[in-house]
Amino acid sequence: MNKDEILLKAQEENKGKDIADLEAQRKGAYLAYFVGLFLIIIWDMVEGFIFHHINYGGNMALFAMAATAFLVKYFQLRKRHELIVGLIYGLGAIVFLVLWILQLTGVMPR
């Protein structure tokens, strides 16, 4: 088997997917998640110190991102702890969504 035959066989097995590209996307998404996490924490700290309140919308987005990541991981790997963590983050996202809606409607101070 020569080099071209090996390449063709690997491409057929991977259904035309570029493994290096998929790995780069995975690493990029992973890094982007932590950048978003860091920025939302800084956002909360600045709002808390300067305005003496926190906008719950950013926290809702953060928890929704984490819930999505863990639930996707659960559906791919079928590990029970991934489901539990995903549901906990999902519950947190719902709580922050309700708090954010209460802020937007004026029920809670902004």
Side-chain angles (χ1 to χ4, degrees):
M1 201 177 243
N2 67 23
K3 186 177 176 181
D4 292 330
E5 291 172 336
I6 294 171
L7 178 61
L8 183 60
K9 185 175 180 180
Q11 287 174 339
E12 288 173 5
E13 288 176 0
N14 294 325
K15 299 175 185 162
K17 295 179 184 173
D18 183 357
I19 301 299
D21 184 55
L22 293 174
E23 183 64 20
Q25 287 178 17
R26 186 191 68 77
K27 286 181 181 178
Y30 185 76
L31 181 61
Y33 174 76
F34 282 104
V35 168
L37 173 70
F38 177 74
L39 291 174
I40 290 172
I41 290 170
I42 296 298
W43 173 8
D44 283 347
M45 290 172 55
V46 168
E47 282 195 342
F49 290 131
I50 294 176
F51 301 117
H52 305 291
H53 77 280
I54 294 174
N55 183 320
Y56 292 113
N59 294 323
M60 180 267 307
L62 178 66
F63 274 71
M65 287 173 17
T68 302
F70 278 97
L71 290 175
V72 166
K73 200 171 172 185
Y74 165 74
F75 286 117
Q76 289 183 347
L77 303 176
R78 297 291 180 192
K79 291 184 178 178
R80 195 174 92 153
H81 74 278
E82 304 291 352
L83 176 62
I84 293 168
V85 173
L87 292 175
I88 290 170
Y89 274 120
L91 181 61
I94 292 168
V95 167
F96 281 120
L97 174 63
V98 169
L99 290 171
W100 186 45
I101 290 170
L102 292 174
Q103 278 183 327
L104 291 173
T105 58
V107 174
M108 288 179 61
R110 295 182 194 191

